[in-house]
Amino acid sequence: MEQLIDPFHRPISYLRVSVTDRCDFRCVYCMSENMTFLPKKELLTLEELDRLCSAFVGMGVEKLRITGGEPLVRKDILTFFRSMSRHLDSGALKELTLTTNGSQLERFVKPLYEAGVRRVNVSADTLDDEKFARITRWGRLPQVMRGIDAAQAAGMRVKLNAVALKGFNEDELLSITEWCASRDIDLTWIEVMPMGDIGNEMRIDQYWKLSDLRARLAEHYTLTELSERTGGPARYVRLEESGQKIGFITPLTHNFCESCNRVRLTCTGELYMCLGQEDMADLRAPLRNHPDSDAPLEDAIRAAIGRKPKGHDFDYSRQSVDGRVSRHMSHTGG
Ligand code: SAM
Ligand code: SF4
């Protein structure tokens, strides 16, 4: 089948799938404490998710990242991973991976590895137990650490995703960097994005520019810019002293859209062509209305990719959050 190509000649080879909007943490920049979650009946079943993802794989998607919410709290999620592994076996899919808060990782590592998962992104913004409990509200760091240990012991490559938060983890810049080097864990810093309604003022207070973080890192290390691009917002440097690679995800200070190769599917079957725009396509209707034929679904996917916008409009520069989108990150999948 013909590869998905958007109007700006970008091939779409990467699908990120949010399999649930629920989570066992309540990170302050992601959710309010009293989040209302979608009624279960709104969610795509695992079989529907399978059909959808398989349609994308049939249209040239080579990388699938499972996210959420917290993907490992979705009931029977292993069934889905195991089922997706057939596309790894056939060679159509090059990578099956996930982004997780790590809380359930320890017990899932072995079956995930058996399903073909070789890399995992674990999110943690601090290495301090008390601060971790504060930022995630409900999370406990030792549990996450056991998950990281288990993943590495199983032979998975681990990447730590840390949200850069002013006044929160600024003081841990070097200790987190050193810890990752000592554990052979890749590290990526993420700028806070204006997603969902949790209070604008708070978000601007939290915003720690990665250019500042990077300058501080450069006071202690020799940074070499790497040309590596993954089609997403990350830019990488190598720290010459430790040899480690550090990523920076800076959607607010840099435009990363020209090489964008990805789209995002929510757990209700909405396809977002851009993380920073409201436009989406409903894929649940063609999926459910045509249980015996994928043709209408494939038409809907092609039509959606045909409207993928050139870029997003996030902007913090005027001290009010312009271009913000109303949905939470846990809905679209971070
Ligand atoms: N629950 C999983 C986790 O935390 O890794 C997967 C979903 S979470 C929404 C994915 C990533 O989005 C996490 O690394 C999280 O830190 C990040 N994130 C959530 N809200 C964000 C925001 N407002 N700005 C920037 N990153 C955010
Ligand atoms: Fe849950 Fe991940 Fe959002 Fe934290 S960032 S509340 S772990 S979905």
Side-chain angles (χ1 to χ4, degrees):
M1 213 181 291
E2 230 177 288
Q3 162 84 49
L4 291 170
I5 311 252
D6 82 356
F8 303 96
H9 311 291
R10 298 171 296 194
I12 305 305
S13 57
Y14 183 9
L15 177 68
R16 298 171 72 103
V17 188
S18 172
V19 293
T20 176
D21 62 334
R22 285 161 203 260
C23 187
D24 52 350
F25 289 4
R26 290 288 181 280
C27 303
V28 297
Y29 46 76
C30 180
M31 295 191 183
S32 65
E33 185 141 28
N34 310 307
M35 284 286 286
T36 313
F37 294 108
L38 294 163
K40 289 231 167 77
K41 63 175 180 5
E42 294 279 312
L43 262 59
L44 296 180
T45 64
L46 293 178
E47 292 73 23
E48 287 171 332
L49 277 168
D50 185 324
R51 221 181 118 201
L52 252 171
C53 293
S54 299
F56 275 97
V57 172
M59 298 163 106
V61 162
E62 295 184 330
K63 178 171 173 178
L64 206 54
R65 178 175 297 280
I66 310 306
T67 177
E70 174 46 40
L72 298 181
V73 303
R74 170 99 198 228
K75 193 163 175 276
D76 291 334
I77 193 64
L78 279 177
T79 310
F80 176 72
F81 274 98
R82 287 185 184 120
S83 170
M84 281 298 112
S85 71
R86 73 185 187 277
H87 298 303
L88 288 171
D89 296 341
S90 77
L93 195 61
K94 303 280 185 284
E95 184 169 35
L96 175 61
T97 186
L98 72 154
T99 300
T100 172
N101 65 23
S103 68
Q104 311 298 314
L105 192 56
E106 187 180 18
R107 66 192 173 96
F108 276 106
V109 157
K110 199 165 167 276
L112 285 173
Y113 190 90
E114 284 163 5
V117 175
R118 294 291 177 269
R119 293 202 302 163
V120 60
N121 288 4
V122 180
S123 305
D125 312 321
T126 171
L127 297 176
D128 178 273
D129 289 1
E130 183 276 321
K131 282 164 79 179
F132 189 84
R134 193 151 32 102
I135 200 79
T136 62
R137 292 199 188 98
W138 296 2
R140 296 296 170 261
L141 187 60
Q143 203 177 339
V144 176
M145 287 297 169
R146 286 199 300 277
I148 292 178
D149 291 344
Q152 288 196 302
M156 281 187 200
R157 183 90 202 145
V158 175
K159 184 162 92 178
L160 195 79
N161 280 342
V163 177
L165 297 163
K166 208 178 184 104
F168 179 77
N169 53 15
E170 282 176 282
D171 58 339
E172 288 187 83
L173 175 61
L174 294 182
S175 52
I176 292 177
T177 307
E178 283 160 15
W179 183 79
C180 287
S182 73
R183 295 286 309 254
D184 193 22
I185 289 173
D186 294 322
L187 171 61
T188 290
W189 290 95
I190 310 174
E191 260 175 2
V192 177
M193 285 176 264
M195 309 286 293
D197 185 13
I198 56 163
N200 285 355
E201 274 61 42
M202 184 173 151
R203 191 117 43 197
I204 290 164
D205 287 349
Q206 292 174 329
Y207 178 45
W208 179 18
K209 246 186 160 165
L210 290 196
S211 51
D212 177 55
L213 184 154
R214 191 183 153 139
R216 282 203 226 169
L217 209 52
E219 291 168 11
H220 301 269
Y221 292 95
T222 315
L223 273 50
T224 304
E225 187 95 30
L226 300 177
S227 57
E228 181 178 334
R229 297 283 182 271
T230 51
R235 294 289 176 268
Y236 299 94
V237 298
R238 188 175 53 238
L239 306 188
E240 292 304 336
E241 289 77 3
S242 61
Q244 71 197 117
K245 196 173 78 173
I246 310 275
F248 301 103
I249 300 187
T250 56
L252 302 170
T253 48
H254 286 105
N255 191 303
F256 56 85
C257 307
E258 67 286 344
S259 60
C260 184
N261 61 355
R262 61 202 58 200
V263 288
R264 292 173 160 83
L265 184 68
T266 71
C267 52
T268 54
E270 295 167 346
L271 186 73
Y272 282 90
M273 285 69 83
C274 172
L275 180 64
Q277 300 278 4
E278 301 280 2
D279 186 33
M280 59 89 175
D282 171 30
L283 299 181
R284 190 172 59 179
L287 186 77
R288 287 196 175 160
N289 296 343
H290 303 275
D292 300 321
S293 164
D294 280 345
L297 174 64
E298 287 160 6
D299 288 347
I301 293 173
R302 283 198 195 283
I305 300 301
R307 340 194 275 272
K308 184 168 159 69
K310 194 167 181 197
H312 63 74
D313 306 315
F314 287 138
D315 183 10
Y316 273 116
S317 58
R318 277 178 280 155
Q319 284 301 301
S320 72
V321 185
D322 284 354
R324 66 194 298 280
V325 293
S326 57
R327 61 191 189 276
H328 286 91
M329 189 72 106
S330 51
H331 181 62
T332 327

